[in-house]
Amino acid sequence: MTDSPHDTAYLILTPAGLADVLKTSAPGAALFLNPGLGSPAQLAQLEAAGAQVQVLPAALPAELSGEFARALQSMGLDDKRLWIEHPPAKSAPPPAALPPRDIAEDEPALHERFASAAGQLATRALRRLRQGRSDRPLLVLPYLGFGNANKLWIKGRVLDEASFREQTGQDSGWSNLVALYHRLESDEVAGARVVAQFGGRRLETVTDSGGYFEFEIVPDAPLAGGSHRVELELPEWLGADGQPIRASSEAFVPAPTARFGIISDIDDTVLWTNVTNKLNMALMMARTNAHTRKPFKGVAAFYRALRDGAGGNEDNPLFYVSSSPWHLFGFLVDFLRLQGIPVGPLLLRDLGMRDVFKLTKHGNHKLEKIELILRFYPGMQFVLIGDSGEKDPEIYAEIVRRHPQAVRMIYIRNVNPDPVRIEALDRLIEEVSSTGAQLILAPDSVFAASHAAAEGLIAVDRLAEVRSNKKEDDSALSTS
């Protein structure tokens, strides 16, 4: 093995794998263990040697290690960075005519049981996870749209899977992984004709190579604030009832009472995803779902306060811009609703499965989506919320340069204590302040809410709710 232990993580599924690691582990290795493997003394021995030990919350079946390797490999993870134990298959004893062999020669070495050979099982894994797909009807998956009095923006996707199984808080780690795999591997339908009908108007388009479609709908009369329903149809595809496949999309128009809008990142801003560490992000997504994931402390109450504004009933619109793929739209909407965070349109990335965890063109995507929102609301100011882990401060500063009148406030959650990063943020704070806007580096939601109350963005009496929400989240995390 040539990789540095600091660059490689090990997924250990059986006692045999742990025994080998106890003999050979190097300082700094990251070890993910099935629960129940090893005694406290053995785990302490690993940690004393410098290993980073994490026990999975639910056991992953050892016999399915090939599928697990295939799923993570398909997400774009380098198999040289992640070694997954592949326990040897039980085989019949050799024929009597063969000469006896030394047992030590039959026992596979540690590296032979890990994921360097994961590709050998790829075909079986793919067949298992896709089984039964051919006879499923098409699905029109509409995303949440938005608009103004004169135009609506609608986006959706056509897939060849009609549904994903609903997940619960009791789902196992393997169930979460399979559900995630199905979301990412759902096959798109390119070139499908899609018809949208709204207010007596009928528009038509075809899906692109990723199965996506978009509409910009100009109504005959100005639209009121609130939710507007757009009917969608696949005229050339029939459902089980013999009728064209149909779906409804919702588009939101801000209320006339809205004083400002909110544009928020999701990853490491609303919920912890650790997007700067691909392996930890993948393993976390594989072993959790919308029921078991938790937001950053106090975020739900803070975002509700921003929606309601200083007046208490302003109904300020929220938009979420993320580098997560559209495949995770349902998961993220479920998460927002379950956690009591105001739901709003999500603008995610058009990605293939192998690109899910490749963070290329991260800034371009967010800039384009924020520009799209600003184009629909040229007279509205916005509060931008992100984190310091990646490029949110730089992206938001660029938005200030392009649209200095459109940004009221920037809140950045400080998740990176690196002095070099802090120095770069100080320079951005100074640059943004020269335009009349503010960039605030906030350690938590209570700090940001206190500042927002002082600036007249939220009601002062909502601070107690944010503090209480943070304490509840603290208690939930301490008992989970």
Side-chain angles (χ1 to χ4, degrees), residues 246-295:
R246 296 185 175 91
S248 296
S249 177
E250 271 190 294
F252 296 91
V253 173
T257 54
R259 285 197 306 128
F260 58 87
I262 304 103
I263 299 175
S264 174
D265 180 33
I266 294 178
D267 311 308
D268 288 335
T269 299
V270 174
L271 75 163
W272 183 79
T273 58
N274 199 13
V275 297
T276 57
N277 185 310
K278 297 179 183 180
L279 171 61
N280 285 342
M281 181 180 180
L283 290 174
M284 178 184 59
M285 293 181 71
R287 64 180 187 251
T288 61
N289 60 50
H291 293 261
T292 56
R293 293 283 289 280
K294 296 300 177 185

Side-chain angles (χ1 to χ4, degrees), residues 78-246:
D78 184 353
D79 60 4
K80 294 180 180 178
R81 300 282 303 278
L82 173 63
W83 293 72
I84 301 176
E85 180 190 2
H86 288 283
K90 296 180 179 179
S91 57
L98 294 177
R101 291 178 293 176
D102 192 295
I103 294 177
E105 294 177 358
D106 288 343
E107 183 175 280
L110 176 64
H111 69 276
E112 293 174 334
R113 295 209 303 267
F114 278 82
S116 59
Q120 297 175 4
L121 297 178
T123 301
R124 179 169 64 87
L126 197 58
R127 185 182 304 116
R128 178 179 182 271
L129 292 176
R130 282 181 169 173
Q131 132 179 44
R133 174 169 299 179
S134 59
D135 57 355
R136 295 179 182 178
L138 294 189
L139 166 71
V140 180
L141 182 61
Y143 305 127
L144 295 175
F146 60 91
N148 54 39
N150 302 308
K151 184 184 293 186
L152 297 178
W153 180 85
I154 297 293
K155 186 180 179 75
R157 200 177 190 201
V158 178
L159 304 170
D160 73 350
E161 279 196 18
S163 64
F164 298 113
R165 183 185 66 79
E166 293 294 327
Q167 291 184 269
T168 71
Q170 287 71 49
D171 278 358
S172 68
W174 179 249
S175 296
N176 291 326
L177 174 65
V178 172
L180 173 62
Y181 187 94
H182 275 306
R183 288 183 188 272
L184 298 178
E185 186 62 6
S186 52
D187 286 341
E188 65 278 358
V189 179
R193 202 154 62 93
V194 185
V195 172
Q197 299 185 73
F198 178 78
R201 301 204 62 186
R202 179 183 173 93
L203 295 87
E204 184 175 314
T205 189
V206 295
T207 57
D208 64 16
S209 60
Y212 297 101
F213 62 86
E214 286 187 23
F215 290 100
E216 287 197 2
I217 303 172
V218 178
D220 293 330
L223 300 174
S227 175
H228 296 269
R229 187 173 298 275
V230 177
E231 299 301 328
L232 302 171
E233 179 181 293
L234 301 182
E236 297 173 348
W237 297 84
L238 303 183
D241 59 359
Q243 299 298 312
I245 294 173
R246 296 185 175 91

Side-chain angles (χ1 to χ4, degrees), residues 239-476:
D241 59 359
Q243 299 298 312
I245 294 173
R246 296 185 175 91
S248 296
S249 177
E250 271 190 294
F252 296 91
V253 173
T257 54
R259 285 197 306 128
F260 58 87
I262 304 103
I263 299 175
S264 174
D265 180 33
I266 294 178
D267 311 308
D268 288 335
T269 299
V270 174
L271 75 163
W272 183 79
T273 58
N274 199 13
V275 297
T276 57
N277 185 310
K278 297 179 183 180
L279 171 61
N280 285 342
M281 181 180 180
L283 290 174
M284 178 184 59
M285 293 181 71
R287 64 180 187 251
T288 61
N289 60 50
H291 293 261
T292 56
R293 293 283 289 280
K294 296 300 177 185
F296 273 107
K297 305 166 189 175
V299 162
F302 180 39
Y303 280 36
R304 290 195 296 266
L306 285 170
R307 176 198 60 197
D308 297 340
N313 59 354
E314 294 174 3
D315 202 11
N316 298 312
L318 282 95
F319 303 84
Y320 298 93
V321 178
S322 171
S323 293
S324 295
W326 281 108
H327 305 69
L328 301 182
F329 170 81
F331 167 89
L332 292 172
V333 170
D334 288 346
F335 172 83
L336 295 174
R337 287 175 174 154
L338 287 166
Q339 301 301 331
I341 301 172
V343 176
L346 285 78
L347 289 89
L348 309 180
R349 294 184 72 185
D350 299 352
L351 293 181
M353 184 174 180
R354 293 185 180 277
D355 300 320
V356 171
F357 295 97
K358 295 178 181 177
L359 304 180
T360 55
K361 299 185 179 178
H362 167 86
N364 288 348
H365 160 73
K366 286 193 172 181
L367 278 173
E368 291 169 3
K369 298 310 180 186
I370 295 173
E371 289 276 9
L372 173 64
I373 295 169
L374 298 184
R375 178 163 60 86
F376 272 81
Y377 309 106
M380 180 176 284
Q381 284 197 311
F382 283 85
V383 174
L384 310 181
I385 307 177
D387 67 88
S388 64
E390 291 202 298
K391 294 297 183 182
D392 287 347
E394 287 79 4
I395 294 167
Y396 294 165
E398 179 61 26
I399 290 295
V400 171
R401 295 184 196 105
R402 299 181 185 184
H403 308 277
Q405 303 304 314
V407 179
R408 173 73 175 83
M409 191 72 62
I410 300 173
Y411 290 112
I412 296 296
R413 179 182 296 278
N414 186 15
V415 299
N416 187 348
D418 182 6
V420 176
R421 182 62 172 150
I422 297 298
E423 184 179 346
L425 292 175
D426 286 340
R427 291 193 294 270
L428 288 176
I429 289 171
E430 184 177 354
E431 178 186 346
V432 169
S433 66
S434 67
T435 69
Q438 298 182 59
L439 191 160
I440 303 300
L441 196 60
D444 56 36
S445 297
V446 172
F447 184 98
S450 299
H451 183 273
E455 292 293 321
L457 295 173
I458 68 173
V460 175
D461 59 10
R462 300 297 290 271
L463 289 176
E465 181 185 354
V466 177
R467 293 191 186 100
S468 175
N469 185 214
K470 183 178 183 296
K471 289 180 180 179
E472 291 172 3
D473 291 338
D474 281 334
S475 299

